[in-house]
Structures are given as structure tokens and as C-alpha cells.
Amino acid sequence: MPVACPPLELLIAAPRGFCAGVDRAIRIVELAIAKHGAPVFVRHEIVHNAHVVDALRAKGAVFVEELDEVPDGAPVVFSAHGVPKAVPAEARRRGLDWLDATCPLVGKVHRQAERLAEAGRHILFVGHAGHPEVIGTLGQLAPGAMTLVETVADAEAVAPADPAALAFLTQTTLSVDDTAQVVATLRRRFPSIEGPRGEDICYATSNRQAAVKAIAARCDALLVIGAPNSSNSVRLVEVAEREGTRARLVQSAADLDWDWLAGVATLGLTAGASAPELLVRGVRDALALRYAVHETEVETSRETIAFKLPRALEAAA
């Protein structure tokens, strides 16, 4: 007689997966290809997900890291993470046909940086060194106008020239809890520091972290679908672990470690903001080959935000 599959309670977090900024960025590349024909060049991965990048590559996108890899006259799209001001300036100088797929919430941080600098404030920017969003935001102002602060220890050690003329901004994909500690340290040390208008950490990052918190305590383990270079996905693993649940990042069902899952009766599942839903379904289907899966979606909030496309693509849409 066939051996019965062990039962598995699968708790799927909602919201999860694509956010409005990622949807918009992918659509911009697709519409650019429809408008111009292949190839359309994209500076950096449009979003941090290999499946998305490979799918767009198959449609005619060519991914490069710098503008000097883009031939004269070719169309180019800037990634959702944002770029330093020098990049569109160079594109204009060369006469390239360019589109900016920067997430509007990242763009909002860029505009706040300009406003604060014009008001004479030095900006302490909370973020992760080397991340494209951080590089893009720091590149909105002249060198030295912002100081990067990554940790509470950095916040304790930073020594600005004029403590009375400070402001802070943050990367949009950080841990809500970690960032709150860094900001609290800055506010304690510099009581007159000016904060952003509203929250810089984007709604999608906050919502996905809250959804993980809602299921983590009920799970023996939790899987996050996302890329290793996806900041918001890595933060979801950290959130689950902080809640006391062992967690692991996987890019797709191919990464499932069955030994790691041994003995798990209740498994949590979510996806970072740049991971498509089909990868979630793929993991669920792979689990169903080995377990008798009982699936429950746990919804903590509902997202209805959508962002407009660039005017240059409205007709193509």
C-alpha cells in the first residue's frame, strides 16, 4: 500500500509578493519593448528577482550595470531602486531615450533629501551601504551632504559638524523594528533633528513584515521567497527569526531543503516585494508532492495602491 503523506499546515502570509512599485517597474520595461522593439537596455536589475529578470530578458530586455554599456541611440530604463542624479544627466548628454522606473516612494525620499539640503540641514541617511537604493539616494546631493548610518552603534558614534542643523531619512526597505531603534538613538542624541514627512519605510515593506509577525509564532518554520540581494526579502527572514521562528530564504521551489523541513508540522510562507506569485504557487505545489497540505491564507491588511506610468508610455499602455 502507498505510504500516506504526512500532514502539513501551511500558513501563507498576506500581503506578500509584488508591490505597486515593482508592478510599475516591470510594466515600464514591457511597454518600452512594445514601443521601441528589442533590445531595450535596463540599467541594473529592474527589481531584485532572477525570475523576473530572466522573463524580461526573454522578451528583449538587456541588463547592464552602467550607461557606458548602452549603445548610442538605444532606449534605456533605470531600475526601481533609483539612480544618482549623474545617471540621467549622462543619459541626456548622450541623447539616449531613457525612462525612469524608480519607485515613486523612493522618488519621494529623493525629493525630501533635496528639500532638507536646501533648508541647510545635513542628512543622516539610515540604510545599508552598497544597496542600489542607497547609492541612488546619496547621489541626489553633492558628496558630503549626507552621512550613512547603518546601525545603532553608528547612530551613537556619528559626529556631525553642526548638531543643531540635522535631518534624517531612511531606505524604504529596512526592518521596521531595527530602524525604529536607530531613529530613537538619533532623536535622543540630537533632539532638534528633523524627520521625514511621513514614514520613509514603504507601505509594502511594513505590511509584509507585519504579516510575517502575525503567523511566525504559530509556525515551526517559515520560508521567504526572494533573492539574496533583495533587501526587503532578507528583512522578512530576520523578522521571523526575531519572533523566535527559524526561517530561510529560498528563490524558488528548487531551493527547498527537505532535511531542513523534517519534523515541521506548521510551515509559514511569504514572498518579498519583488517575488511573483507564481513562485509561491510553485513552492506550494512542491510541498504538495510530499505532504498532505492544508493551506490557510492569513491576511493582515489589503493593498490597493497603484502608481501611474510615465507619460511617455501612457499611449503604449
Side-chain angles (χ1 to χ4, degrees):
M1 293 182 64
V3 178
C5 293
L8 180 68
E9 188 72 26
L10 184 64
L11 301 181
I12 304 183
R16 63 182 177 274
F18 278 0
C19 62
V22 166
D23 270 328
R24 175 180 180 270
I26 293 169
R27 188 74 176 131
I28 285 173
V29 177
E30 291 173 338
L31 288 173
I33 294 170
K35 178 180 179 180
H36 297 286
V40 166
F41 289 80
V42 183
R43 185 187 180 278
H44 193 66
E45 291 184 346
I46 188 67
V47 297
H48 284 158
N49 186 273
H51 179 88
V52 171
V53 168
D54 288 345
L56 291 174
R57 187 179 283 120
K59 294 178 180 180
V62 176
F63 293 88
V64 298
E65 286 303 310
E66 299 298 342
L67 277 189
D68 59 15
E69 301 173 66
V70 179
D72 289 342
V76 60
V77 179
F78 304 148
S79 83
H81 310 97
V83 295
K85 275 190 171 180
V87 174
E90 174 64 10
R92 283 190 291 270
R93 188 192 67 79
R94 289 184 54 195
L96 297 177
D97 190 350
W98 58 275
L99 289 162
D100 190 355
T102 298
C103 173
L105 298 180
V106 174
K108 184 191 76 168
V109 177
H110 291 179
R111 292 189 296 274
Q112 289 185 104
E114 292 179 325
R115 176 182 62 81
L116 291 166
E118 288 170 0
R121 292 187 177 265
H122 182 81
I123 299 167
L124 304 179
F125 187 69
V126 183
H128 296 298
H131 190 277
E133 182 184 333
V134 173
I135 294 170
T137 302
L138 295 179
Q140 299 306 301
L141 302 178
M146 290 196 224
T147 298
L148 183 63
V149 175
E150 295 192 75
T151 64
V152 169
D154 289 345
E156 291 283 9
V158 67
D162 184 358
L166 287 179
F168 74 87
L169 297 170
T170 81
Q171 185 178 337
T172 64
T173 55
L174 299 177
S175 160
V176 173
D177 294 337
D178 287 347
T179 304
Q181 293 178 26
V182 174
V183 169
T185 302
L186 294 176
R187 289 194 182 278
R188 173 178 55 78
R189 291 194 63 213
F190 311 110
S192 63
I193 194 169
E194 183 175 339
R197 294 176 177 173
E199 180 63 67
D200 278 348
I201 295 178
C202 80
Y203 77 94
T205 296
S206 299
N207 288 350
R208 279 148 192 72
Q209 290 179 22
V212 165
K213 289 180 180 179
I215 65 172
R218 300 164 57 186
C219 300
D220 301 313
L222 187 140
L223 292 172
V224 177
I225 301 173
N229 61 340
S230 166
S231 175
N232 75 86
S233 299
V234 174
R235 302 291 83 75
L236 292 176
V237 174
E238 295 171 354
V239 167
E241 291 175 338
R242 184 171 290 139
E243 295 294 308
T245 302
R246 63 190 181 101
R248 176 168 287 192
L249 187 71
V250 296
Q251 297 198 65
S252 68
D255 293 337
L256 290 175
D257 182 340
W258 301 109
D259 291 336
W260 188 81
L261 289 168
V264 171
T266 303
L267 179 67
L269 180 62
T270 190
S274 50
E277 180 65 15
L278 66 87
L279 296 180
V280 177
R281 292 295 99 198
V283 168
R284 193 267 179 217
D285 292 345
L287 292 168
L289 296 176
R290 293 178 178 243
Y291 297 93
V293 175
H294 178 259
E295 176 183 337
T296 303
E297 183 175 78
V298 181
E299 184 178 73
T300 53
S301 62
R302 189 161 295 182
E303 296 175 349
T304 58
I305 292 174
F307 295 130
K308 292 182 179 180
L309 293 165
R311 289 182 181 177
L313 291 178
E314 286 177 353

